Amino acid sequence: MDTATAETLLAMRLLGHGGGGPSFRKWQTAVRTRLGTPPAAQQRLFRSAHLSSDFFPSNAAGNHLGLALARAGYQREDIAYITNQFYPLAIAPYWNGIRGYLEAERSYRGRVILNDGVEGMLRSLQPMITWNAPVLETASPTGPEIHLNNRGLLIVPSLFLFDQVTVITPPASRPDDPPVLVYPVPVNGATASSLWQLAPSTDKALGALVGRTRAKVLRTLVDSHNTGELGLRVGVSAAAASQHTAVLREAGLIITRRKQNTVLHSLTPLGLALLNSRGIEATATGEKPDARRSVS
């Protein structure tokens, strides 16, 4: 699941609308200072950024941000601004904490399913939704009723969705795909303080230990990427990315695995410990768990 792309676009919308309340004030102030005034052609993105069902299928995991945006129909200039300006300045510095917070929310809802079943989990989302089988009712203007018709439903928590539940319906070309329900996760003062706290001294120390570019490679590999994607995110050629991953792999900080015709790089537990990421739970290979919830 391409959680980073969805959260990036919702963060743009939150910033444009000035929503989120006090919990997001520190983040908004810091991001506005870093971004400055966006280019005139891209200012509309802060109010019109939209999600796509293409972000959420299982094959979207590990996709490059720009590729996901292109599939969703975003223009080339907008993709360049989001990937080169907004994401690095507004999302990347906080992504470890954001991802950890969303993983905790997914774990909580998973425990509700184990204890109370799927219907109990749906009831736990009231008053955001109302479940009257087989229809799910929401207050969302994008889809007040969801008729599941045995297609299932993907339920996705969001940090930056500040106002109300959003329903994303599959395109007409894929009528059997499940709809996606994105719901806002509340943030209290203590959580906000932790999420928006940066630790630049840790980044400097890591850079001094392994080099600035390899430190960036490690931070990027909190999510698995192939060599080409890694090079794009870090800002180096694929050949240079391959050299850096070879050094980090020999040091035991990352693991490289082949998945079909793609080679994926991920953090090892040692690499994750060195990175000193906060609030992230990973498997033995450093790959993130599947974030989807499916109900029928």
Side-chain angles (χ1 to χ4, degrees):
M1 175 174 298
D2 198 1
T3 308
T5 301
E7 288 300 295
T8 298
L9 296 174
L10 290 171
M12 293 189 81
R13 193 168 67 88
L14 184 148
L15 196 66
H17 287 265
S23 294
F24 290 87
R25 193 163 295 151
K26 181 177 179 179
W27 174 81
Q28 291 188 35
T29 300
V31 171
R32 287 195 175 102
T33 299
R34 296 190 199 116
L35 280 178
T37 302
Q42 275 67 54
Q43 289 182 11
R44 58 183 166 73
L45 287 172
F46 289 85
R47 291 190 175 272
S48 64
H50 62 277
L51 300 184
S52 165
S53 61
D54 288 329
F55 298 156
F56 300 100
S58 58
N59 60 7
N63 279 339
H64 182 257
L65 179 65
L67 297 178
L69 292 169
R71 281 199 309 273
Y74 279 81
Q75 300 175 9
R76 179 178 300 178
E77 295 78 8
D78 295 340
I79 294 173
Y81 175 75
I82 294 170
T83 57
N84 298 329
Q85 296 294 320
F86 188 81
Y87 176 83
L89 297 176
I91 303 299
Y94 310 101
W95 181 242
N96 292 346
I98 292 169
R99 180 185 164 197
Y101 188 60
L102 294 177
E103 290 291 351
E105 170 69 13
R106 282 186 279 266
S107 295
Y108 165 70
R109 299 296 174 184
R111 291 195 297 273
V112 174
I113 290 177
L114 290 175
N115 293 328
D116 303 322
V118 171
E119 292 197 1
M121 189 275 291
L122 293 174
R123 288 194 299 269
S124 74
L125 292 174
Q126 293 177 338
M128 293 184 286
I129 66 170
T130 301
W131 170 244
N132 292 313
V135 178
L136 196 66
E137 300 176 356
T138 79
S140 169
T142 59
E145 291 187 353
I146 309 174
H147 294 266
L148 301 183
N149 298 325
N150 296 319
R151 293 176 298 172
L153 176 71
L154 299 183
I155 301 178
V156 181
S158 170
L159 177 67
F160 289 105
L161 181 62
F162 63 94
D163 47 5
Q164 58 189 355
V165 168
T166 292
V167 177
I168 306 168
T169 56
S173 59
R174 300 200 305 270
D176 294 329
D177 283 6
V180 181
L181 185 147
V182 187
Y183 69 92
V185 180
V187 181
N188 58 32
T191 300
S193 178
S194 174
L195 285 173
W196 313 136
Q197 181 66 43
L198 297 178
S201 60
T202 300
D203 288 347
K204 291 179 181 178
L206 181 62
L209 180 64
V210 300
R212 293 179 59 185
T213 302
R214 287 173 191 157
K216 191 172 182 180
V217 169
L218 285 175
R219 289 194 296 270
T220 302
L221 288 180
V222 168
D223 292 322
S224 299
H225 293 288
N226 64 38
T227 305
E229 295 167 350
L230 181 61
L232 287 171
R233 286 189 178 258
V234 175
V236 299
S237 67
S242 181
Q243 292 176 355
H244 288 303
T245 56
V247 173
L248 295 172
R249 185 168 54 250
E250 289 183 5
L253 300 177
I254 70 170
I255 187 172
T256 300
R257 302 172 67 184
R258 181 171 293 279
K259 185 177 181 181
Q260 296 178 343
N261 295 326
T262 301
V263 172
L264 290 178
H265 308 288
S266 309
L267 290 179
T268 64
L270 177 61
L272 188 59
L274 178 62
L275 188 61
N276 195 26
S277 300
R278 293 178 297 175
I280 298 177
E281 295 180 0
T283 64
T285 63
E287 293 178 339
K288 62 181 180 181
D290 188 353
R292 294 180 300 151
R293 298 278 182 224
S294 179
V295 301
S296 58

